[in-house]
Structures are given as C-alpha cells and as structure tokens.
Amino acid sequence: MSNIINAQNPFFGQYLTPHETVPFDRIKTEHYEPAILEGIKQQNAEINAIIQNPEKADFRNTIEAFEQSGELLDRVTAVFGNMLSAETNDDLQALAQKIMPLLSEHSNNITLNEKLFARVKEVYNQKENLQLNPEESKLLENAYNSFVRHGANLEGEAREEYRRLTTELSKLTLTFSENNLKETNRYQMLLTKKESLAGLPEIIVEAAAETAKSEDKEGWAFTLHAPSYVPFMTYADNRDLRQRLYMAYNTKCTHDNEFNNIEIVKKIANTRMKIAQLLGYKDYAEYTLVKRMAENSESVYKLLNQLLEAYTPTAQQEYKEVQELARKEQGEDFVLMPWDWSYYSNKLKDKKFNINEEMLRPYFELEQVKKGVFGLAERLYGITFRKNTEIPVYHKDVEAFEVFNKDGRFLAVLYTDFHPRLGKRAGAWMTSYKDQWIDKQTGENSRPHVSVVMNFTKPTENKPALLTFNEVETFLHEFGHSLHGMFANSTYKSLSGTNVYWDFVELPSQIMENFAIEKDFLNTFARHYQTGEALPDDLIKRLVDASNFNVAYACLRQVSFGLLDMTWYTRNTAFEGDVKAYEKEAWKKAQILPVIEEACMSTQFSHIFAGGYAAGYYSYKWAEVLDADAFSLFKQKGIFNREVADSFRNNILSEGGTEHPMVLYKRFRGQEPSIDALLIRNGIKK
C-alpha cells in the first residue's frame, strides 16, 4: 500500500514540469507529512554513510557529502514553509504544529551527532594543509561553525537542554505567526453610511464594497491588510473611524482571546537568551552578531545613535509642521495623534508639493509596472522574462516567468504573487523554492527558482490593479532580492544567492528602490491606464522634490524598531515584566508622536519574533547606508550604465556568501561606505 501512496505523492520522484518546477497543481496537504518523514529517513541514511565511511575524513567524503545530504527533505520543506506564509489554511497550520517539532528534532540530531562532528572537526583542523579554493574554504568554515553554533560542543545535560529549548522555540515562533495572521484576518470594520467614506478615493471605496459583497454584506468593509488599512488612515476624513482602525491594527494579538501573543513574546525572548547563554554568549544579540557585518551590539547601537542624533531635530520639526496644519483646521488645542499622522501629513505633502499617492496611482497600472521593472533588469543586465503558463502555480493570482540571460541561456524561474488573501501573511518578501548550485562532476549549473510575494492593491470590477508609489517601491525592493537569487553562481547551494550576512542581504533590494524616483526609468513605463498619457514631467519633478518629505520621521520609525529589537535581545536575565511598558521604554528616544498606552508592536512584530531578523532589524538602516553610497556610483556614471551594473552583478549579486561582504562591497565601490552619503541624500547634511 505504501508504494501506491508514494507513487501518487508528487514529492517522490522527478518533477515532470518545465525546469523541474514544483508541481503545485498535484500537491495536497496529505502529501507533506509522508514526504517529510521519508526525507528525514533518507538524510539520516546519508549521515550514517558519512559516519561509517572507513576512509579518513576529508573535504570530499565529509564536508561535500554533508552539503549534498537531505535533498528530498529540502525540496519538501521549501514548499511547506513557503505555503505556510503565502497560501496557508487551518489544515496546513495544524500539520505545521505536528511537523515543526519533528524538523527541529531532526536538525538537533544532526548538529549534536558526536561522530559526525568529529569528522567535520577532523577536516577543519587540517584546513591549512588542504589547498582548498575560496568556496571550499568557506564551506568548510561554515560547516564547522554551524555545528558549534548549534550545540555540537555541548555535553550531557546541556545538550539535552539545547534540544528542549530549540524544539520549544520552533513551536513558539510558529504559534506567534499563526496568531498574527488569524488576528489580522478576523478584524473587519463594516461601514453602512455613505458619509463615513468622506475623503476616500473612489478606487478604495470600490475595493471596500467588493470586500463586503464577497461576504454577502451590505456596505463597505475595511480590513487590516495594507491595501485597505493604509489608504483609510491616509484619506478618511472621519477621525473617530481612523482611531478605531488604528487601534485595531496596533493592538493585534494583545486581546483576551486565543490569539494573544503577550506571553509568547516573553517566552521567545527568554528562550533565545537561554540558547545563547547555553552556547557561551552573554545574550542572543552577541550570538547573532558574530555572523554579521556589524559584528557586535556596540556597532549596532553606534549606527542607531548616529541616526538618532542626525535625524531627531528634523523629525521634531516635521511633526511640528504637520501639527500646525492640523491646528489651522481643527483649532489651537488640537493634539496630533498617531491616527492623525498619515491623514495630515498627506495634506501637508499635497500643500507643499501638490502631489499625493492618488495623483500617481492611475499611472502605475500593475501590468505596466511589471514591464517597467522587468525592463529595468533587461536594460541593466540584458536579461529577459517570458511568462510560461505551463509552469504550475499555487494560486490563480500567481504567475510564473522563465528568465533568460543576455546570451539567451536559461537563468531562473521567477514567480510573482501580488495581491492579499486570507491565506497569505501581511507584508512583502522574496523566497526560494530551489537554490542554485553547480555539479562539480558534470559542470552543470542548476538554476534557481525564486518568488516575490506582496500584498498590493487588487483590481476591482471597474479598474485594473493600480499601485501606489509606495507599492512600486516595494516591488522594486523585492525584485532586488530576486535578482540576488536569480544571478546566483556558486558551486554550493548553502553559499548561493541570498545566503549572505543578514545585514548585507538588503543591499540589492534597497539599491533598486532608488530607481523609483528616476525620471528616465519612470518614462519607460508610467502611463495613464485610461489615456496612455506618460507621467507628466512636472508630476515627476514634484515626486522627486517630495522624495525626502518626512524622511526624518520615517528614519526614526525604523530606528525605533531597531532599538526595540536590540532591547529584547541584549537581555541577559529572563523577562517576566509588562511587555507594553518594556516596549515603550525601549524605543522612547525615537518616538515623535504621542504614546498610546494600549498599543503594542512586539505582539505582531513577526520580523524579530517569527522571522530571521532577531537582533537584526538594524540591517535595513545598515544596508541603507551602503545603498546610498553604492547608488551614487550609478548617479555619477548614469543610472542605466552597463559597466556599473555588470560590476554590481559580478561583485555583489553573483558572489553569494563566499567572501566577507565588506570585501565584495569595496571591490564594487572602491571604498568603504560612509553614513554621510545617506545624510546628504536625505537632505540632512549638505
């Protein structure tokens, strides 16, 4: 019977699809568990073969053999993990609660395997005499360090404690994410009076009506998903309704129900601290930052404090200007609250620059933006994109593209997934279904399959998907990550593509954002969806002029998240206090708006509690310093300059994790980055 079941399971055997892409159309929830269990079984057999090899441990029979183990398991968990984020459901989440502890246990069984580590260590101790090339040396170093950082040197009770803590952490992070998604999806503000919609653009009203209609409700339904929440906070004249929606969003997972994350936040922070201390570090930040460009907490705080000092005076002035505008409308005793910020800042921006998101939206029809972004990559790197409907996808909104290099050779598969739905978590991200690697025996370069996932404005009955400028920037950001994945050219998949230091991984994404305000780029695609008229030059000029509007406030907001992150993960004693109070103390230096006692970011801050950014949220600002400096070279030589683009591709996008990021950066830029480039770009420094 099991052979019949295995024959029906698409994870077993070769994928008979274009480029051996994932056969999403054949995968069912019941296929994951048997494939994961078989994957674990196969990798265990591969590990045993390494251990029992009678030959002396060497790079080939131990380090490379370990790198190549677990192929089936990697294949299944890539799909399983991505579906939990992009297209989940109750059955998949229930399965995850069962599977994640098994995967955690399996990972521990490998890294705590004394015989396997002994062979890895034996090779590592010979590294000076092995005559390895740079990639091989890096793979050996990473393998050894990974074992050590995952408890291989622990003994006795400490090893068992490590097992317990890591298994517990996998359960906690999964529950955190599920609670956040469910709390987001369960909220809806249904309005039944037309006057409640005053100030809202027609496209937002249409979308809200369609949301209500899809659930057989009368009126207009607003949700906590970005395409609904952000415009409402920006344009709705009704202050009470803005406050209601703001409070719903900013108190997520704090309510007295099954989705409360307060205790989970404490447990995640404490568990990570205990793991770090068990491994010999004073706190989780110290453990994490050893493998980052920043290297230590002092460097992170130095950057955050530099930004605080540089941007706070301007941010305070920005708040004062918005407050003054609000008081002209509402009276001298009016206090600008967080639910007023987007509304009145938008009014001030319109007044100063005669521009807002809705003026630009008609020129950013999604299909045209896609052409523009893909066209930018073609102009910079010579690559081309061809939609292939024969490649299976996991939802009807998803499209699959074959990507070809400038010489016509196949480069990668790119999936695009643009719109929100109940089974998709909030935010935007790039991910991979298959990493790139090179077969050392045949020389075959196995190309990657990557995906960009976003939550953009959906089309309505009357209008196509029209993006905001912010959504265009987000597209460029995630597309930058995808280029990093698609251009990967490493021998080993664990060194490939975005497998670089976490505070370096945002450089390709953030450098792409710079193109959003470049006239020559906008002219390639920005057309009015009805008239075909190009985005007018005067509107582009206003967009550029407004590009630094409230930039200091935006910077301090990111700094506040970085401070909160570091405060949670530089703890060296268990936290048992009040999460909300602790949060407010952590980031108070970066707060410009009045503090709302009931609000809480930590309970929904997936980046640092359920993602890869624990003790790493500063990375966005760290990379922004790099991207401001790097893009100045494009500005100097021309934004479409092929020589600069090729250098960026060869030194940054294709190198992966083989060399230290600063070596790669200096090779591209010819110098170390300075914070001055960012301050000058933002108009903070002349």
Side-chain angles (χ1 to χ4, degrees), residues 302-554:
K302 179 183 177 183
L303 172 66
L304 295 177
N305 287 327
Q306 279 181 319
L307 294 171
L308 269 174
E309 182 180 354
Y311 285 85
T312 296
T314 305
Q316 290 171 338
Q317 182 59 34
E318 288 170 352
Y319 175 78
K320 183 180 176 185
E321 282 191 61
V322 178
Q323 169 100 299
E324 285 174 355
L325 175 67
R327 284 181 171 172
K328 284 179 183 176
E329 290 190 11
Q330 302 295 336
E332 284 305 309
D333 59 346
F334 184 84
V335 178
L336 190 81
M337 299 300 286
W339 46 84
D340 301 316
W341 176 256
S342 296
Y343 180 75
Y344 284 106
S345 339
N346 182 64
K347 282 179 173 280
L348 181 60
K349 184 178 181 180
D350 208 358
K351 183 179 179 183
K352 275 188 162 188
F353 304 102
N354 187 24
I355 196 167
N356 60 54
E357 291 277 25
E358 296 312 308
M359 282 182 183
L360 297 167
R361 195 193 286 269
Y363 296 92
F364 294 143
E365 194 269 313
L366 177 57
E367 286 304 313
Q368 286 299 117
V369 177
K370 262 197 315 198
K371 288 178 185 176
V373 173
F374 288 175
L376 175 60
E378 182 173 357
R379 197 158 178 179
L380 289 174
Y381 305 111
I383 62 175
T384 53
F385 299 78
R386 186 171 69 205
K387 184 176 175 179
N388 187 341
T389 56
E390 298 300 311
I391 295 176
V393 293
Y394 55 86
H395 188 275
K396 63 180 178 62
D397 286 351
V398 180
E399 293 182 319
F401 296 86
E402 293 171 301
V403 188
F404 297 94
N405 220 328
K406 56 186 172 184
D407 60 6
R409 284 182 301 161
F410 172 69
L411 182 69
V413 170
L414 173 68
Y415 300 94
T416 60
D417 182 357
F418 290 113
H419 303 300
R421 53 183 175 269
L422 293 179
K424 185 196 285 191
R425 68 173 169 88
W429 62 95
M430 169 266 179
T431 187
S432 171
Y433 288 96
K434 175 187 172 298
D435 290 328
Q436 175 272 338
W437 54 279
I438 296 172
D439 188 316
K440 290 182 75 172
Q441 301 301 317
T442 66
E444 180 191 355
N445 195 325
S446 184
R447 300 308 304 164
H449 305 163
V450 303
S451 177
V452 287
V453 190
M454 286 155 273
N455 281 277
F456 289 166
T457 304
K458 297 174 76 170
T460 67
E461 277 186 19
N462 302 317
K463 292 183 178 66
L466 301 175
L467 305 191
T468 64
F469 176 71
N470 181 259
E471 288 173 332
V472 174
E473 284 187 310
T474 300
F475 190 171
L476 285 164
H477 179 102
E478 300 307 333
F479 187 73
H481 283 309
S482 77
L483 289 174
H484 203 175
M486 291 189 289
F487 284 140
N489 197 38
S490 301
T491 302
Y492 304 108
K493 61 184 177 182
S494 67
L495 300 179
S496 172
T498 56
N499 291 310
V500 298
Y501 279 3
W502 209 251
D503 44 10
F504 190 63
V505 81
E506 295 297 337
L507 172 59
S509 57
Q510 292 190 187
I511 203 165
M512 288 298 287
E513 288 186 45
N514 289 279
F515 287 93
I517 58 169
E518 291 294 331
K519 178 182 175 182
D520 289 344
F521 168 60
L522 291 168
N523 283 340
T524 65
F525 72 93
R527 299 280 185 277
H528 195 286
Y529 78 102
Q530 289 173 313
T531 67
E533 173 200 12
L535 185 62
D537 285 351
D538 71 307
L539 207 48
I540 294 177
K541 182 179 185 305
R542 283 181 266 154
L543 177 63
V544 174
D545 291 345
S547 61
N548 279 332
F549 177 72
N550 284 351
V551 70
Y553 168 80

Side-chain angles (χ1 to χ4, degrees), residues 10-28:
F11 288 117
F12 296 115
Q14 187 177 5
Y15 293 162
L16 302 177
T17 51
H19 309 293
E20 296 186 39
T21 45
V22 178
F24 290 110
D25 54 333
R26 295 180 55 221
I27 294 172
K28 299 176 182 176

Side-chain angles (χ1 to χ4, degrees), residues 100-353:
M100 289 308 186
L102 293 178
L103 292 172
S104 178
E105 180 185 14
H106 175 62
S107 177
N108 284 337
N109 287 342
I110 292 173
T111 56
L112 299 177
N113 187 312
E114 294 180 35
K115 292 180 180 178
L116 178 60
F117 180 55
R119 287 183 69 94
V120 171
K121 191 173 183 179
E122 185 180 349
V123 181
Y124 183 75
N125 288 339
Q126 307 169 48
K127 65 181 186 296
E128 303 302 330
N129 304 316
L130 295 180
Q131 296 183 319
L132 302 177
N133 65 35
E135 272 192 299
E136 293 168 338
S137 295
K138 188 64 175 175
L139 184 70
L140 173 58
E141 179 191 334
N142 283 3
Y144 176 77
N145 287 337
S146 179
F147 274 88
V148 172
R149 288 172 63 77
H150 290 89
N153 281 332
L154 298 176
E155 297 179 353
E157 289 183 11
R159 291 170 73 89
E160 295 312 306
E161 176 70 352
Y162 179 85
R163 282 182 181 275
R164 187 189 67 78
L165 290 171
T166 51
T167 300
E168 176 68 9
L169 184 61
S170 73
K171 294 177 184 175
L172 289 167
T173 54
L174 180 62
T175 303
F176 182 99
S177 287
E178 290 178 355
N179 287 349
N180 197 4
L181 178 62
K182 288 174 180 175
E183 187 86 323
T184 300
N185 285 340
R186 75 196 289 262
Y187 182 84
Q188 192 176 89
M189 184 171 73
L190 184 66
L191 304 180
T192 55
K193 296 179 180 177
K194 187 86 173 178
E195 56 266 29
S196 301
L197 307 173
L200 291 171
E202 179 188 354
I203 190 171
I204 303 305
V205 173
E206 285 181 10
E210 289 192 10
T211 301
K213 184 180 177 182
S214 69
E215 299 182 16
D216 296 322
K217 296 175 181 176
E218 293 290 329
W220 300 268
F222 294 89
T223 72
L224 301 183
H225 295 285
S228 179
Y229 176 80
V230 173
F232 195 92
M233 298 305 298
T234 305
Y235 297 107
D237 292 338
N238 189 312
R239 191 188 193 205
D240 291 339
L241 293 177
R242 292 201 309 270
Q243 181 178 355
R244 190 200 301 181
L245 200 61
Y246 174 91
M247 293 304 296
Y249 192 98
N250 289 280
T251 59
K252 281 194 293 183
C253 301
T254 65
H255 307 293
D256 187 16
N257 60 27
E258 68 270 36
F259 308 127
N260 189 300
N261 273 340
I262 291 280
E263 291 303 315
I264 292 174
V265 163
K266 296 180 187 180
K267 288 176 181 176
I268 290 174
N270 290 340
T271 302
R272 285 189 169 135
M273 180 200 73
K274 289 174 186 174
I275 289 171
Q277 292 177 343
L278 198 60
L279 293 169
Y281 298 90
K282 65 181 179 182
D283 54 46
Y284 190 76
E286 183 181 64
Y287 166 75
T288 298
L289 293 168
V290 166
K291 304 299 290 180
R292 300 287 188 267
M293 290 179 77
E295 296 182 349
N296 53 56
S297 298
E298 289 72 26
S299 296
V300 174
Y301 277 117
K302 179 183 177 183
L303 172 66
L304 295 177
N305 287 327
Q306 279 181 319
L307 294 171
L308 269 174
E309 182 180 354
Y311 285 85
T312 296
T314 305
Q316 290 171 338
Q317 182 59 34
E318 288 170 352
Y319 175 78
K320 183 180 176 185
E321 282 191 61
V322 178
Q323 169 100 299
E324 285 174 355
L325 175 67
R327 284 181 171 172
K328 284 179 183 176
E329 290 190 11
Q330 302 295 336
E332 284 305 309
D333 59 346
F334 184 84
V335 178
L336 190 81
M337 299 300 286
W339 46 84
D340 301 316
W341 176 256
S342 296
Y343 180 75
Y344 284 106
S345 339
N346 182 64
K347 282 179 173 280
L348 181 60
K349 184 178 181 180
D350 208 358
K351 183 179 179 183
K352 275 188 162 188
F353 304 102

